């Protein structure tokens, strides 16, 4: 079953923060986050493994709560280049190395 | 920087015709994936290869779709016959994955298929 992301869409002004959530009905081994710009391929952002770790890359970070089967992506001080559609890819215990992508969150950052 | 190559980038065909897509993964990547992405939705896995073997093709419509990776390097995805509902972006991804690894997948630019 496809993970559910929220919100479906968000509009920000440059410099504002945003949180994107990903929720799965299955027990997860890992969560991957990707950003896709219109007409382009998804680009990898980060992986979070079981253990409740939190990762960060520049001003984008994420957390993974394996007990709740949820992950959140945090975008701080957003830049114009952050615009795009964000997908979480969940790796269930029953599908090793196989990702099930979420419903997507469209993010638009305006000047 | 190494990239996943796909061709063609765009394909327009009429229903009932056969189409084929090609993917060349990043050198050394053992795992190759084919995804279908309908506009506005997330990628959906069609088939997963580990070297030349199919690991998962449970979501592949086998009555019309086929995929092969004969020498464990590049791969071909075929649709015959194409149907209107097959219009989508077909993405190929590869990963340097070994047992117990959980590495990122690198996506190619995709092939946008339009079936008329």
């Amino acid at each position: 079953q496809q993970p559910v992301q929220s919100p479906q869409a968000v509009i920000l002004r440059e410099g504002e923060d945003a949180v994107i959530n990903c929720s799965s009905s299955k027990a997860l081994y890992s969560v991957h986050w990707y950003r896709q710009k219109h007409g382009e391929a998804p680009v990898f952002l980060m992986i979070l493994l079981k253990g409740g770790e939190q990762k960060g890359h520049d001003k984008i970070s994420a957390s993974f709560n394996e007990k709740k089967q949820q992950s959140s992506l945090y975008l701080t001080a957003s830049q114009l280049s952050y615009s795009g559609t964000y997908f979480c890819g969940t790796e269930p215990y029953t599908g090793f190395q196989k990702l099930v992508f979420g419903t997507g969150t469209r993010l638009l950052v305006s000047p | 920087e190494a990239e996943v190559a796909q061709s063609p980038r765009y394909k327009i065909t009429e229903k009932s015709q056969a189409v084929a897509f090609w993917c060349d993964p990043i050198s050394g990547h053992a795992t190759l994936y084919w995804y279908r992405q309908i506009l506005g939705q997330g990628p959906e896995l069609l088939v997963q290869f580990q070297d030349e073997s199919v690991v998962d093709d449970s979501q592949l419509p086998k009555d019309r779709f086929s995929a092969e990776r004969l020498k464990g390097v590049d791969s071909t995805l075929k649709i015959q016959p194409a149907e209107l509902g097959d219009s989508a972006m077909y993405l190929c991804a590869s990963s340097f994955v070994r047992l117990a690894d959980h590495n990122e997948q690198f996506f190619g630019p995709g092939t946008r298929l339009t079936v008329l």
Side-chain angles (χ1 to χ4, degrees), chain A residues 29 32 34 36 41-42 44 47 49 87 91 96-99 101-102, chain B residues 33 35 37 41-43 45 48 56 97-98 100 102-105 107-108:
Chain A
Y29 198 97
H32 303 215
Y34 288 80
Q36 185 176 29
F44 170 79
I47 293 178
L49 304 179
F87 292 100
E91 181 185 8
F96 184 67
Q97 300 169 4
K98 169 185 169 181
L99 295 184
F101 283 88
Chain B
Y33 308 83
Y35 290 91
Q37 186 176 29
Q41 299 182 19
L45 180 68
Q48 176 185 357
D56 187 336
V97 177
R98 289 288 179 253
H102 299 272
N103 295 337
E104 63 265 33
Q105 296 182 21
F107 283 82

PDB file of all heavy atoms in Angstrom, chain A residues 29 32 34 36 41-42 44 47 49 87 91 96-99 101-102, chain B residues 33 35 37 41-43 45 48 56 97-98 100 102-105 107-108:
ATOM      1  N   TYR A  29      11.929  -0.661   7.116  1.00  0.00           N
ATOM      2  CA  TYR A  29      13.348  -0.779   7.414  1.00  0.00           C
ATOM      3  C   TYR A  29      14.050   0.541   7.160  1.00  0.00           C
ATOM      4  O   TYR A  29      14.983   0.893   7.875  1.00  0.00           O
ATOM      5  CB  TYR A  29      13.991  -1.879   6.570  1.00  0.00           C
ATOM      6  CG  TYR A  29      15.314  -2.329   7.124  1.00  0.00           C
ATOM      7  CD1 TYR A  29      15.385  -3.458   7.926  1.00  0.00           C
ATOM      8  CD2 TYR A  29      16.485  -1.619   6.861  1.00  0.00           C
ATOM      9  CE1 TYR A  29      16.602  -3.872   8.466  1.00  0.00           C
ATOM     10  CE2 TYR A  29      17.695  -2.022   7.388  1.00  0.00           C
ATOM     11  CZ  TYR A  29      17.743  -3.147   8.195  1.00  0.00           C
ATOM     12  OH  TYR A  29      18.940  -3.542   8.729  1.00  0.00           O
ATOM     13  N   HIS A  32      13.538   6.647   2.200  1.00  0.00           N
ATOM     14  CA  HIS A  32      14.364   7.452   1.310  1.00  0.00           C
ATOM     15  C   HIS A  32      13.567   8.677   0.904  1.00  0.00           C
ATOM     16  O   HIS A  32      12.349   8.597   0.710  1.00  0.00           O
ATOM     17  CB  HIS A  32      14.720   6.667   0.039  1.00  0.00           C
ATOM     18  CG  HIS A  32      15.419   5.365   0.290  1.00  0.00           C
ATOM     19  ND1 HIS A  32      16.402   4.879  -0.558  1.00  0.00           N
ATOM     20  CD2 HIS A  32      15.297   4.431   1.262  1.00  0.00           C
ATOM     21  CE1 HIS A  32      16.835   3.715  -0.104  1.00  0.00           C
ATOM     22  NE2 HIS A  32      16.191   3.421   1.001  1.00  0.00           N
ATOM     23  N   TYR A  34      13.287  11.859  -1.969  1.00  0.00           N
ATOM     24  CA  TYR A  34      13.691  12.316  -3.294  1.00  0.00           C
ATOM     25  C   TYR A  34      12.968  13.617  -3.615  1.00  0.00           C
ATOM     26  O   TYR A  34      11.851  13.848  -3.145  1.00  0.00           O
ATOM     27  CB  TYR A  34      13.337  11.288  -4.373  1.00  0.00           C
ATOM     28  CG  TYR A  34      14.202  10.054  -4.354  1.00  0.00           C
ATOM     29  CD1 TYR A  34      13.968   9.026  -3.448  1.00  0.00           C
ATOM     30  CD2 TYR A  34      15.268   9.922  -5.244  1.00  0.00           C
ATOM     31  CE1 TYR A  34      14.768   7.904  -3.421  1.00  0.00           C
ATOM     32  CE2 TYR A  34      16.070   8.796  -5.229  1.00  0.00           C
ATOM     33  CZ  TYR A  34      15.814   7.794  -4.319  1.00  0.00           C
ATOM     34  OH  TYR A  34      16.611   6.682  -4.285  1.00  0.00           O
ATOM     35  N   GLN A  36      11.814  15.852  -7.076  1.00  0.00           N
ATOM     36  CA  GLN A  36      11.672  15.775  -8.528  1.00  0.00           C
ATOM     37  C   GLN A  36      11.166  17.108  -9.061  1.00  0.00           C
ATOM     38  O   GLN A  36      10.110  17.589  -8.649  1.00  0.00           O
ATOM     39  CB  GLN A  36      10.705  14.648  -8.919  1.00  0.00           C
ATOM     40  CG  GLN A  36      10.591  14.429 -10.415  1.00  0.00           C
ATOM     41  CD  GLN A  36       9.695  13.245 -10.752  1.00  0.00           C
ATOM     42  OE1 GLN A  36       8.773  12.919 -10.009  1.00  0.00           O
ATOM     43  NE2 GLN A  36       9.958  12.587 -11.879  1.00  0.00           N
ATOM     44  N   ALA A  41      14.064  13.682 -13.695  1.00  0.00           N
ATOM     45  CA  ALA A  41      14.087  12.472 -12.885  1.00  0.00           C
ATOM     46  C   ALA A  41      14.168  12.816 -11.403  1.00  0.00           C
ATOM     47  O   ALA A  41      14.677  13.872 -11.030  1.00  0.00           O
ATOM     48  CB  ALA A  41      15.288  11.618 -13.275  1.00  0.00           C
ATOM     49  N   PRO A  42      13.690  11.943 -10.542  1.00  0.00           N
ATOM     50  CA  PRO A  42      13.843  12.153  -9.098  1.00  0.00           C
ATOM     51  C   PRO A  42      15.315  12.186  -8.712  1.00  0.00           C
ATOM     52  O   PRO A  42      16.124  11.424  -9.240  1.00  0.00           O
ATOM     53  CB  PRO A  42      13.136  10.945  -8.480  1.00  0.00           C
ATOM     54  CG  PRO A  42      12.219  10.444  -9.545  1.00  0.00           C
ATOM     55  CD  PRO A  42      12.919  10.732 -10.839  1.00  0.00           C
ATOM     56  N   PHE A  44      17.984  11.964  -5.464  1.00  0.00           N
ATOM     57  CA  PHE A  44      18.089  11.475  -4.101  1.00  0.00           C
ATOM     58  C   PHE A  44      18.478  12.582  -3.132  1.00  0.00           C
ATOM     59  O   PHE A  44      19.360  13.403  -3.416  1.00  0.00           O
ATOM     60  CB  PHE A  44      19.148  10.359  -4.070  1.00  0.00           C
ATOM     61  CG  PHE A  44      19.549   9.908  -2.702  1.00  0.00           C
ATOM     62  CD1 PHE A  44      18.743   9.049  -1.985  1.00  0.00           C
ATOM     63  CD2 PHE A  44      20.738  10.342  -2.139  1.00  0.00           C
ATOM     64  CE1 PHE A  44      19.112   8.629  -0.724  1.00  0.00           C
ATOM     65  CE2 PHE A  44      21.121   9.930  -0.883  1.00  0.00           C
ATOM     66  CZ  PHE A  44      20.306   9.068  -0.164  1.00  0.00           C
ATOM     67  N   ILE A  47      18.761   8.982   3.005  1.00  0.00           N
ATOM     68  CA  ILE A  47      18.183   7.737   3.506  1.00  0.00           C
ATOM     69  C   ILE A  47      18.171   7.783   5.023  1.00  0.00           C
ATOM     70  O   ILE A  47      19.141   8.230   5.645  1.00  0.00           O
ATOM     71  CB  ILE A  47      19.019   6.511   3.106  1.00  0.00           C
ATOM     72  CG1 ILE A  47      18.995   6.272   1.610  1.00  0.00           C
ATOM     73  CG2 ILE A  47      18.517   5.253   3.801  1.00  0.00           C
ATOM     74  CD1 ILE A  47      19.852   5.092   1.202  1.00  0.00           C
ATOM     75  N   LEU A  49      17.612   5.066   8.193  1.00  0.00           N
ATOM     76  CA  LEU A  49      17.462   3.658   8.540  1.00  0.00           C
ATOM     77  C   LEU A  49      16.763   3.509   9.877  1.00  0.00           C
ATOM     78  O   LEU A  49      16.695   4.451  10.658  1.00  0.00           O
ATOM     79  CB  LEU A  49      18.831   2.978   8.594  1.00  0.00           C
ATOM     80  CG  LEU A  49      19.678   3.076   7.329  1.00  0.00           C
ATOM     81  CD1 LEU A  49      21.017   2.393   7.526  1.00  0.00           C
ATOM     82  CD2 LEU A  49      18.942   2.469   6.148  1.00  0.00           C
ATOM     83  N   PHE A  87       9.070  13.202  -2.784  1.00  0.00           N
ATOM     84  CA  PHE A  87       8.535  11.860  -2.595  1.00  0.00           C
ATOM     85  C   PHE A  87       9.314  11.139  -1.503  1.00  0.00           C
ATOM     86  O   PHE A  87      10.541  11.200  -1.468  1.00  0.00           O
ATOM     87  CB  PHE A  87       8.644  11.032  -3.872  1.00  0.00           C
ATOM     88  CG  PHE A  87       7.772  11.488  -5.003  1.00  0.00           C
ATOM     89  CD1 PHE A  87       8.287  12.243  -6.042  1.00  0.00           C
ATOM     90  CD2 PHE A  87       6.419  11.170  -5.020  1.00  0.00           C
ATOM     91  CE1 PHE A  87       7.487  12.664  -7.092  1.00  0.00           C
ATOM     92  CE2 PHE A  87       5.609  11.591  -6.061  1.00  0.00           C
ATOM     93  CZ  PHE A  87       6.142  12.340  -7.091  1.00  0.00           C
ATOM     94  N   GLU A  91      10.905   1.491   2.418  1.00  0.00           N
ATOM     95  CA  GLU A  91      11.399   0.135   2.216  1.00  0.00           C
ATOM     96  C   GLU A  91      10.820  -0.739   3.320  1.00  0.00           C
ATOM     97  O   GLU A  91      11.290  -0.710   4.455  1.00  0.00           O
ATOM     98  CB  GLU A  91      12.922   0.092   2.263  1.00  0.00           C
ATOM     99  CG  GLU A  91      13.506  -1.300   2.041  1.00  0.00           C
ATOM    100  CD  GLU A  91      15.007  -1.336   2.224  1.00  0.00           C
ATOM    101  OE1 GLU A  91      15.581  -0.326   2.670  1.00  0.00           O
ATOM    102  OE2 GLU A  91      15.607  -2.390   1.925  1.00  0.00           O
ATOM    103  N   PHE A  96      12.834  -6.128   0.746  1.00  0.00           N
ATOM    104  CA  PHE A  96      14.200  -5.650   0.892  1.00  0.00           C
ATOM    105  C   PHE A  96      14.706  -4.998  -0.387  1.00  0.00           C
ATOM    106  O   PHE A  96      14.627  -5.562  -1.471  1.00  0.00           O
ATOM    107  CB  PHE A  96      15.095  -6.830   1.267  1.00  0.00           C
ATOM    108  CG  PHE A  96      16.519  -6.446   1.531  1.00  0.00           C
ATOM    109  CD1 PHE A  96      16.846  -5.673   2.623  1.00  0.00           C
ATOM    110  CD2 PHE A  96      17.530  -6.866   0.689  1.00  0.00           C
ATOM    111  CE1 PHE A  96      18.167  -5.321   2.879  1.00  0.00           C
ATOM    112  CE2 PHE A  96      18.846  -6.525   0.932  1.00  0.00           C
ATOM    113  CZ  PHE A  96      19.165  -5.752   2.029  1.00  0.00           C
ATOM    114  N   GLN A  97      15.233  -3.786  -0.248  1.00  0.00           N
ATOM    115  CA  GLN A  97      15.787  -3.001  -1.348  1.00  0.00           C
ATOM    116  C   GLN A  97      14.735  -2.598  -2.370  1.00  0.00           C
ATOM    117  O   GLN A  97      15.070  -2.142  -3.457  1.00  0.00           O
ATOM    118  CB  GLN A  97      16.912  -3.770  -2.040  1.00  0.00           C
ATOM    119  CG  GLN A  97      18.071  -4.101  -1.114  1.00  0.00           C
ATOM    120  CD  GLN A  97      19.041  -5.079  -1.728  1.00  0.00           C
ATOM    121  OE1 GLN A  97      18.905  -5.465  -2.878  1.00  0.00           O
ATOM    122  NE2 GLN A  97      20.017  -5.491  -0.957  1.00  0.00           N
ATOM    123  N   LYS A  98      13.477  -2.779  -2.025  1.00  0.00           N
ATOM    124  CA  LYS A  98      12.399  -2.412  -2.930  1.00  0.00           C
ATOM    125  C   LYS A  98      11.666  -1.227  -2.325  1.00  0.00           C
ATOM    126  O   LYS A  98      11.166  -1.310  -1.215  1.00  0.00           O
ATOM    127  CB  LYS A  98      11.447  -3.592  -3.111  1.00  0.00           C
ATOM    128  CG  LYS A  98      10.161  -3.263  -3.820  1.00  0.00           C
ATOM    129  CD  LYS A  98       9.247  -4.488  -3.836  1.00  0.00           C
ATOM    130  CE  LYS A  98       7.851  -4.116  -4.297  1.00  0.00           C
ATOM    131  NZ  LYS A  98       6.945  -5.286  -4.304  1.00  0.00           N
ATOM    132  N   LEU A  99      11.607  -0.113  -3.049  1.00  0.00           N
ATOM    133  CA  LEU A  99      10.952   1.091  -2.541  1.00  0.00           C
ATOM    134  C   LEU A  99       9.513   1.210  -3.018  1.00  0.00           C
ATOM    135  O   LEU A  99       9.218   0.929  -4.189  1.00  0.00           O
ATOM    136  CB  LEU A  99      11.718   2.338  -2.977  1.00  0.00           C
ATOM    137  CG  LEU A  99      13.131   2.520  -2.422  1.00  0.00           C
ATOM    138  CD1 LEU A  99      13.706   3.851  -2.889  1.00  0.00           C
ATOM    139  CD2 LEU A  99      13.127   2.456  -0.909  1.00  0.00           C
ATOM    140  N   PHE A 101       6.923   4.243  -3.301  1.00  0.00           N
ATOM    141  CA  PHE A 101       6.930   5.696  -3.229  1.00  0.00           C
ATOM    142  C   PHE A 101       5.590   6.238  -2.759  1.00  0.00           C
ATOM    143  O   PHE A 101       4.527   5.673  -3.038  1.00  0.00           O
ATOM    144  CB  PHE A 101       7.292   6.307  -4.581  1.00  0.00           C
ATOM    145  CG  PHE A 101       8.766   6.232  -4.878  1.00  0.00           C
ATOM    146  CD1 PHE A 101       9.307   5.119  -5.502  1.00  0.00           C
ATOM    147  CD2 PHE A 101       9.616   7.263  -4.494  1.00  0.00           C
ATOM    148  CE1 PHE A 101      10.671   5.038  -5.761  1.00  0.00           C
ATOM    149  CE2 PHE A 101      10.978   7.193  -4.746  1.00  0.00           C
ATOM    150  CZ  PHE A 101      11.507   6.074  -5.365  1.00  0.00           C
ATOM    151  N   GLY A 102       5.670   7.363  -2.056  1.00  0.00           N
ATOM    152  CA  GLY A 102       4.488   8.012  -1.523  1.00  0.00           C
ATOM    153  C   GLY A 102       3.729   8.806  -2.561  1.00  0.00           C
ATOM    154  O   GLY A 102       4.102   8.851  -3.740  1.00  0.00           O
TER     155      GLY A 102
ATOM    156  N   TYR B  33      16.294  -1.062 -11.673  1.00  0.00           N
ATOM    157  CA  TYR B  33      14.845  -0.974 -11.474  1.00  0.00           C
ATOM    158  C   TYR B  33      14.211  -0.301 -12.681  1.00  0.00           C
ATOM    159  O   TYR B  33      14.749   0.660 -13.228  1.00  0.00           O
ATOM    160  CB  TYR B  33      14.513  -0.132 -10.238  1.00  0.00           C
ATOM    161  CG  TYR B  33      15.208  -0.521  -8.949  1.00  0.00           C
ATOM    162  CD1 TYR B  33      16.495  -0.085  -8.668  1.00  0.00           C
ATOM    163  CD2 TYR B  33      14.550  -1.281  -7.985  1.00  0.00           C
ATOM    164  CE1 TYR B  33      17.125  -0.410  -7.481  1.00  0.00           C
ATOM    165  CE2 TYR B  33      15.167  -1.611  -6.785  1.00  0.00           C
ATOM    166  CZ  TYR B  33      16.455  -1.172  -6.543  1.00  0.00           C
ATOM    167  OH  TYR B  33      17.067  -1.493  -5.351  1.00  0.00           O
ATOM    168  N   TYR B  35      10.607   1.694 -13.345  1.00  0.00           N
ATOM    169  CA  TYR B  35       9.428   2.280 -12.713  1.00  0.00           C
ATOM    170  C   TYR B  35       8.525   2.890 -13.785  1.00  0.00           C
ATOM    171  O   TYR B  35       8.985   3.334 -14.825  1.00  0.00           O
ATOM    172  CB  TYR B  35       9.807   3.405 -11.750  1.00  0.00           C
ATOM    173  CG  TYR B  35      10.511   2.996 -10.485  1.00  0.00           C
ATOM    174  CD1 TYR B  35      11.906   2.936 -10.418  1.00  0.00           C
ATOM    175  CD2 TYR B  35       9.783   2.707  -9.338  1.00  0.00           C
ATOM    176  CE1 TYR B  35      12.539   2.592  -9.250  1.00  0.00           C
ATOM    177  CE2 TYR B  35      10.420   2.360  -8.156  1.00  0.00           C
ATOM    178  CZ  TYR B  35      11.801   2.308  -8.121  1.00  0.00           C
ATOM    179  OH  TYR B  35      12.439   1.963  -6.951  1.00  0.00           O
ATOM    180  N   GLN B  37       5.759   6.047 -13.957  1.00  0.00           N
ATOM    181  CA  GLN B  37       5.248   7.191 -13.215  1.00  0.00           C
ATOM    182  C   GLN B  37       4.170   7.889 -14.028  1.00  0.00           C
ATOM    183  O   GLN B  37       4.447   8.463 -15.087  1.00  0.00           O
ATOM    184  CB  GLN B  37       6.366   8.174 -12.864  1.00  0.00           C
ATOM    185  CG  GLN B  37       5.898   9.315 -11.970  1.00  0.00           C
ATOM    186  CD  GLN B  37       7.015  10.232 -11.545  1.00  0.00           C
ATOM    187  OE1 GLN B  37       8.007  10.391 -12.248  1.00  0.00           O
ATOM    188  NE2 GLN B  37       6.865  10.857 -10.380  1.00  0.00           N
ATOM    189  N   GLN B  41       1.807  11.480  -9.855  1.00  0.00           N
ATOM    190  CA  GLN B  41       1.905  10.388  -8.890  1.00  0.00           C
ATOM    191  C   GLN B  41       3.367   9.995  -8.685  1.00  0.00           C
ATOM    192  O   GLN B  41       4.245  10.391  -9.444  1.00  0.00           O
ATOM    193  CB  GLN B  41       1.099   9.179  -9.356  1.00  0.00           C
ATOM    194  CG  GLN B  41      -0.383   9.457  -9.518  1.00  0.00           C
ATOM    195  CD  GLN B  41      -1.148   8.214  -9.939  1.00  0.00           C
ATOM    196  OE1 GLN B  41      -0.681   7.098  -9.785  1.00  0.00           O
ATOM    197  NE2 GLN B  41      -2.351   8.427 -10.472  1.00  0.00           N
ATOM    198  N   GLY B  42       3.608   9.206  -7.650  1.00  0.00           N
ATOM    199  CA  GLY B  42       4.951   8.713  -7.393  1.00  0.00           C
ATOM    200  C   GLY B  42       5.301   7.548  -8.313  1.00  0.00           C
ATOM    201  O   GLY B  42       4.411   6.906  -8.875  1.00  0.00           O
ATOM    202  N   PRO B  43       6.597   7.284  -8.488  1.00  0.00           N
ATOM    203  CA  PRO B  43       7.004   6.138  -9.309  1.00  0.00           C
ATOM    204  C   PRO B  43       6.481   4.833  -8.727  1.00  0.00           C
ATOM    205  O   PRO B  43       6.459   4.644  -7.512  1.00  0.00           O
ATOM    206  CB  PRO B  43       8.533   6.197  -9.244  1.00  0.00           C
ATOM    207  CG  PRO B  43       8.864   7.598  -8.860  1.00  0.00           C
ATOM    208  CD  PRO B  43       7.750   8.037  -7.978  1.00  0.00           C
ATOM    209  N   LEU B  45       7.063   0.707  -8.954  1.00  0.00           N
ATOM    210  CA  LEU B  45       8.020  -0.300  -9.397  1.00  0.00           C
ATOM    211  C   LEU B  45       7.365  -1.318 -10.323  1.00  0.00           C
ATOM    212  O   LEU B  45       6.317  -1.875 -10.014  1.00  0.00           O
ATOM    213  CB  LEU B  45       8.620  -1.024  -8.198  1.00  0.00           C
ATOM    214  CG  LEU B  45       9.651  -2.105  -8.524  1.00  0.00           C
ATOM    215  CD1 LEU B  45      10.919  -1.487  -9.107  1.00  0.00           C
ATOM    216  CD2 LEU B  45       9.975  -2.933  -7.292  1.00  0.00           C
ATOM    217  N   GLN B  48      12.474  -5.382 -10.804  1.00  0.00           N
ATOM    218  CA  GLN B  48      13.759  -5.174 -10.138  1.00  0.00           C
ATOM    219  C   GLN B  48      14.692  -6.312 -10.514  1.00  0.00           C
ATOM    220  O   GLN B  48      14.328  -7.486 -10.418  1.00  0.00           O
ATOM    221  CB  GLN B  48      13.559  -5.137  -8.622  1.00  0.00           C
ATOM    222  CG  GLN B  48      14.834  -5.028  -7.806  1.00  0.00           C
ATOM    223  CD  GLN B  48      14.568  -5.109  -6.306  1.00  0.00           C
ATOM    224  OE1 GLN B  48      13.422  -5.200  -5.874  1.00  0.00           O
ATOM    225  NE2 GLN B  48      15.621  -5.070  -5.512  1.00  0.00           N
ATOM    226  N   ASP B  56      12.075  -9.060  -8.473  1.00  0.00           N
ATOM    227  CA  ASP B  56      10.661  -8.776  -8.237  1.00  0.00           C
ATOM    228  C   ASP B  56      10.026  -8.271  -9.520  1.00  0.00           C
ATOM    229  O   ASP B  56      10.479  -7.268 -10.054  1.00  0.00           O
ATOM    230  CB  ASP B  56      10.513  -7.751  -7.116  1.00  0.00           C
ATOM    231  CG  ASP B  56       9.067  -7.529  -6.689  1.00  0.00           C
ATOM    232  OD1 ASP B  56       8.144  -7.783  -7.497  1.00  0.00           O
ATOM    233  OD2 ASP B  56       8.846  -7.096  -5.544  1.00  0.00           O
ATOM    234  N   VAL B  97      24.047  -2.037  -4.843  1.00  0.00           N
ATOM    235  CA  VAL B  97      23.484  -2.691  -3.672  1.00  0.00           C
ATOM    236  C   VAL B  97      24.076  -4.070  -3.501  1.00  0.00           C
ATOM    237  O   VAL B  97      24.113  -4.863  -4.425  1.00  0.00           O
ATOM    238  CB  VAL B  97      21.956  -2.813  -3.804  1.00  0.00           C
ATOM    239  CG1 VAL B  97      21.372  -3.557  -2.627  1.00  0.00           C
ATOM    240  CG2 VAL B  97      21.338  -1.439  -3.919  1.00  0.00           C
ATOM    241  N   ARG B  98      24.507  -4.327  -2.335  1.00  0.00           N
ATOM    242  CA  ARG B  98      24.917  -5.680  -1.962  1.00  0.00           C
ATOM    243  C   ARG B  98      24.118  -6.088  -0.742  1.00  0.00           C
ATOM    244  O   ARG B  98      23.399  -5.295  -0.163  1.00  0.00           O
ATOM    245  CB  ARG B  98      26.432  -5.709  -1.655  1.00  0.00           C
ATOM    246  CG  ARG B  98      27.285  -5.547  -2.910  1.00  0.00           C
ATOM    247  CD  ARG B  98      27.226  -6.796  -3.774  1.00  0.00           C
ATOM    248  NE  ARG B  98      28.020  -6.658  -4.994  1.00  0.00           N
ATOM    249  CZ  ARG B  98      27.469  -6.499  -6.194  1.00  0.00           C
ATOM    250  NH1 ARG B  98      26.156  -6.467  -6.313  1.00  0.00           N
ATOM    251  NH2 ARG B  98      28.225  -6.376  -7.257  1.00  0.00           N
ATOM    252  N   ALA B 100      22.482  -6.609   2.580  1.00  0.00           N
ATOM    253  CA  ALA B 100      22.424  -5.789   3.782  1.00  0.00           C
ATOM    254  C   ALA B 100      22.698  -4.316   3.525  1.00  0.00           C
ATOM    255  O   ALA B 100      22.725  -3.525   4.444  1.00  0.00           O
ATOM    256  CB  ALA B 100      23.391  -6.290   4.854  1.00  0.00           C
ATOM    257  N   HIS B 102      21.669  -0.578   1.974  1.00  0.00           N
ATOM    258  CA  HIS B 102      20.470   0.209   1.686  1.00  0.00           C
ATOM    259  C   HIS B 102      20.929   1.508   1.051  1.00  0.00           C
ATOM    260  O   HIS B 102      20.952   2.546   1.687  1.00  0.00           O
ATOM    261  CB  HIS B 102      19.671   0.479   2.963  1.00  0.00           C
ATOM    262  CG  HIS B 102      19.192  -0.768   3.630  1.00  0.00           C
ATOM    263  ND1 HIS B 102      18.000  -1.359   3.295  1.00  0.00           N
ATOM    264  CD2 HIS B 102      19.756  -1.546   4.575  1.00  0.00           C
ATOM    265  CE1 HIS B 102      17.848  -2.448   4.032  1.00  0.00           C
ATOM    266  NE2 HIS B 102      18.894  -2.587   4.802  1.00  0.00           N
ATOM    267  N   ASN B 103      21.311   1.416  -0.187  1.00  0.00           N
ATOM    268  CA  ASN B 103      21.877   2.576  -0.855  1.00  0.00           C
ATOM    269  C   ASN B 103      20.849   3.302  -1.697  1.00  0.00           C
ATOM    270  O   ASN B 103      19.802   2.757  -2.038  1.00  0.00           O
ATOM    271  CB  ASN B 103      23.043   2.141  -1.750  1.00  0.00           C
ATOM    272  CG  ASN B 103      24.193   1.580  -0.937  1.00  0.00           C
ATOM    273  OD1 ASN B 103      24.330   1.882   0.239  1.00  0.00           O
ATOM    274  ND2 ASN B 103      25.003   0.771  -1.570  1.00  0.00           N
ATOM    275  N   GLU B 104      21.197   4.525  -2.027  1.00  0.00           N
ATOM    276  CA  GLU B 104      20.289   5.329  -2.834  1.00  0.00           C
ATOM    277  C   GLU B 104      20.162   4.769  -4.238  1.00  0.00           C
ATOM    278  O   GLU B 104      21.053   4.087  -4.739  1.00  0.00           O
ATOM    279  CB  GLU B 104      20.775   6.778  -2.891  1.00  0.00           C
ATOM    280  CG  GLU B 104      22.128   6.974  -3.560  1.00  0.00           C
ATOM    281  CD  GLU B 104      23.245   6.990  -2.554  1.00  0.00           C
ATOM    282  OE1 GLU B 104      23.136   6.274  -1.526  1.00  0.00           O
ATOM    283  OE2 GLU B 104      24.228   7.699  -2.781  1.00  0.00           O
ATOM    284  N   GLN B 105      19.049   5.090  -4.846  1.00  0.00           N
ATOM    285  CA  GLN B 105      18.815   4.738  -6.239  1.00  0.00           C
ATOM    286  C   GLN B 105      19.057   5.980  -7.088  1.00  0.00           C
ATOM    287  O   GLN B 105      18.596   7.076  -6.751  1.00  0.00           O
ATOM    288  CB  GLN B 105      17.380   4.239  -6.429  1.00  0.00           C
ATOM    289  CG  GLN B 105      17.099   2.948  -5.676  1.00  0.00           C
ATOM    290  CD  GLN B 105      15.698   2.434  -5.919  1.00  0.00           C
ATOM    291  OE1 GLN B 105      15.047   2.777  -6.903  1.00  0.00           O
ATOM    292  NE2 GLN B 105      15.226   1.588  -5.022  1.00  0.00           N
ATOM    293  N   PHE B 107      18.392   7.746 -10.617  1.00  0.00           N
ATOM    294  CA  PHE B 107      17.409   7.662 -11.690  1.00  0.00           C
ATOM    295  C   PHE B 107      17.953   8.228 -13.001  1.00  0.00           C
ATOM    296  O   PHE B 107      18.709   9.204 -13.010  1.00  0.00           O
ATOM    297  CB  PHE B 107      16.143   8.435 -11.318  1.00  0.00           C
ATOM    298  CG  PHE B 107      15.256   7.707 -10.349  1.00  0.00           C
ATOM    299  CD1 PHE B 107      15.515   7.748  -8.990  1.00  0.00           C
ATOM    300  CD2 PHE B 107      14.163   6.985 -10.803  1.00  0.00           C
ATOM    301  CE1 PHE B 107      14.700   7.071  -8.092  1.00  0.00           C
ATOM    302  CE2 PHE B 107      13.340   6.308  -9.919  1.00  0.00           C
ATOM    303  CZ  PHE B 107      13.603   6.350  -8.565  1.00  0.00           C
ATOM    304  N   GLY B 108      17.517   7.630 -14.079  1.00  0.00           N
ATOM    305  CA  GLY B 108      17.793   8.175 -15.395  1.00  0.00           C
ATOM    306  C   GLY B 108      16.768   9.236 -15.742  1.00  0.00           C
ATOM    307  O   GLY B 108      15.820   9.466 -14.984  1.00  0.00           O
TER     308      GLY B 108
END
